[in-house]
Amino acid sequence: MIDIKRLMDDIETMAAIGARPDGGLCREALSPADLEGRAYLRRRMEAAGLSVRVDAAGNIIGRREADAAGQGEPGAAPTEAATVVLGSHIDTIERGGKYDGTVGVLGALECVRTLADEGVRLRRPVEVIAFTDEEERFLGFLGSYAFTGSVDTADLAGVRDRNGIDLVDAMREVGLEPDRIAEARRDPAEIHAFLELHIEQGPVLERDGASIGVVERVKGDYRWEISVEGRTDHAGAPLDGRRDAFMAMHEVVAAMIEYRDRLGDPDTTLTVGRMDLRPNVETAQPGWVQFSLDIRSPGREVLIDADRALRRILEEVAERTGQKLSRREILIEDPVPFDSRLLDAIRAAADDLGYTRRDMQSGAGHDAQILGRHVPS
């Protein structure tokens, strides 16, 4: 069994890196705190006897080779080349929790240490990986996109964080070369399976009294940034002729909520998570509003239809209010089902260990959904 004290010591040490005095962590990708966390992880991987490298996307990869076939084991299976990859990410949002992502990396490291402690011989190589920028400081899923060959140098150009820092500049600052991002791609034939341990980030397991969630799929996530350009007027100006950008935003959101409710599908969610309006004073109508709109569903057709509905609603509100409404895609990720053999193995392991479990879907996005399109995950 794993050494829970050793694992928790690692988790608590990592949680102190980027800790905020008012609670939570801030270890955004490629920030000084992230670099400190990455250095700590590399030291722990090396102490565990793994060979450690950093690829062209900044992914940290610790590898243990397979044991030579048949050494001291009559009839042992031959060594196989395809690798089992375990991991997640260690970067956080601005106010993150200590388990999000990190438990999937340090938990994987602890598994590999336990295999060594117990003298378990490996038929396949095992890699522990921490993917870069999962939490969208810049691109989001940068490391797993690069790992699967889903991003190239052109995709990095013009990508900035909310403070206007260019991704390519941030990469160069830490010794990465954006022009070489394609070198991070791995041939799917090299990967036998990918497994990612993650906290739920929701109430389902606790509500149902289950310890293990067997995640059958990650919901698709279609996300847009919507801008409304109206006209700023005094709050006391007559209603007739107003071009209040916030009111136009309200119409869009209300119409999309009505659309979602008509679906009658509790697994489809709609969220407005960010909003900015100007001039943002009490006595003026906003002349400009920008907000995010996030729709998640296990059904791809639902998401495609939601995209059409949003286009139609924006056109209708623009025509009715005389304002300019535009949208920009932030993220378009279709639902990703996971490998049935791996799911069965997780169920069997939970049952063998006496853990309560339930099948479920993940409403949060993870690196596994990116890898799941390319390798068994």
Side-chain angles (χ1 to χ4, degrees):
M1 297 296 288
I2 67 166
D3 183 336
I4 189 64
K5 182 181 183 305
R6 179 170 59 187
L7 172 58
M8 288 307 302
D9 284 346
D10 277 341
I11 290 174
E12 295 294 347
T13 300
M14 188 69 80
I17 300 172
R20 296 168 51 114
D22 56 348
L25 319 177
C26 185
R27 205 165 51 235
E28 292 182 305
L30 307 183
S31 68
D34 184 41
L35 297 182
E36 185 181 347
R38 291 161 64 86
Y40 175 75
L41 175 62
R42 291 189 63 172
R43 292 195 299 272
R44 298 303 285 158
M45 285 180 167
E46 290 165 354
L50 303 183
S51 61
V52 182
R53 68 183 182 90
V54 178
D55 71 13
N59 298 321
I60 302 172
I61 303 169
R63 181 178 173 97
R64 175 181 161 185
E65 298 294 343
D67 294 296
Q71 285 188 1
E73 295 182 27
T79 298
E80 299 185 40
T83 303
V84 173
V85 180
L86 315 171
S88 191
H89 62 96
I90 64 168
D91 65 308
T92 75
I93 58 174
E94 185 177 358
R95 191 188 295 269
K98 66 183 178 182
Y99 296 109
D100 182 358
T102 301
V103 72
V105 178
L106 295 176
L109 176 60
E110 178 57 29
C111 287
V112 174
R113 289 188 297 215
T114 301
L115 291 172
D117 291 346
E118 298 186 358
V120 176
R121 301 180 59 77
L122 299 186
R123 193 177 74 201
R124 299 181 181 278
V126 174
E127 292 181 357
V128 176
I129 185 166
F131 290 106
T132 304
D133 191 27
E134 193 269 359
E135 290 287 13
E136 302 181 48
R137 177 189 174 188
F138 295 103
L139 188 67
F141 299 122
L142 172 62
S144 45
Y145 280 147
F147 190 90
T148 57
S150 305
V151 68
D152 59 28
T153 303
D155 296 315
L156 310 183
V159 176
R160 298 179 176 87
D161 72 1
R162 65 181 181 276
N163 296 314
I165 298 173
D166 285 309
L167 169 58
V168 294
D169 291 341
M171 291 178 70
R172 293 187 181 111
E173 186 72 22
V174 300
L176 299 173
E177 298 180 38
D179 291 343
R180 300 179 62 183
I181 191 77
E183 296 177 16
R185 179 187 178 274
R186 298 283 290 276
D187 184 346
E190 297 177 3
I191 309 300
H192 180 66
F194 174 68
L195 290 167
E196 181 175 13
L197 174 67
H198 209 283
I199 60 169
E200 181 196 349
Q201 300 173 281
V204 175
L205 294 176
E206 184 175 13
R207 182 194 66 199
D208 292 356
S211 297
I212 305 296
V214 184
V215 181
E216 297 178 304
R217 71 176 56 227
V218 170
K219 294 181 181 181
D221 183 357
Y222 283 22
R223 198 182 315 163
W224 305 272
E225 178 182 80
I226 299 171
S227 299
V228 184
E229 297 180 38
R231 185 180 68 237
T232 298
D233 283 318
H234 193 279
L239 287 177
D240 185 39
R242 284 190 177 205
R243 297 290 184 268
D244 188 323
F246 179 83
M247 292 304 175
M249 170 196 158
H250 177 270
E251 288 192 38
V252 172
V253 174
M256 288 302 294
I257 291 173
E258 183 181 0
Y259 165 83
R260 180 205 61 193
D261 291 347
R262 284 199 310 269
L263 291 175
D265 177 12
D267 288 326
T268 297
T269 61
L270 182 149
T271 304
V272 175
R274 174 176 56 82
M275 182 184 69
D276 184 19
L277 55 82
R278 299 173 189 166
N280 198 27
V281 297
E282 297 174 11
T283 56
Q285 303 164 42
W288 179 88
V289 173
Q290 192 174 81
F291 63 100
S292 64
L293 188 69
D294 179 304
I295 298 180
R296 305 188 187 206
S297 176
R300 181 172 182 267
E301 290 304 317
V302 172
L303 294 165
I304 292 173
D305 190 63
D307 179 77
R308 296 192 195 103
L310 178 60
R311 290 178 187 272
R312 183 181 67 252
I313 289 166
L314 291 176
E315 291 172 359
E316 292 172 352
V317 173
E319 183 177 356
R320 184 166 56 254
T321 66
Q323 302 184 57
K324 181 181 178 181
L325 282 77
S326 59
R327 70 179 207 163
R328 178 179 69 86
E329 291 180 354
I330 299 175
L331 185 71
I332 301 294
E333 289 290 348
D334 288 329
V336 176
F338 290 126
D339 186 86
S340 60
R341 294 168 302 167
L342 297 182
L343 296 176
D344 285 343
I346 295 167
R347 294 183 186 107
D351 292 344
D352 287 346
L353 294 167
Y355 292 127
T356 54
R357 60 172 172 86
R358 61 155 290 161
D359 292 346
M360 60 190 303
Q361 302 174 104
S362 175
H366 303 291
D367 292 301
Q369 80 187 88
I370 308 303
L371 272 73
R373 297 195 184 95
H374 304 268
V375 299
S377 300

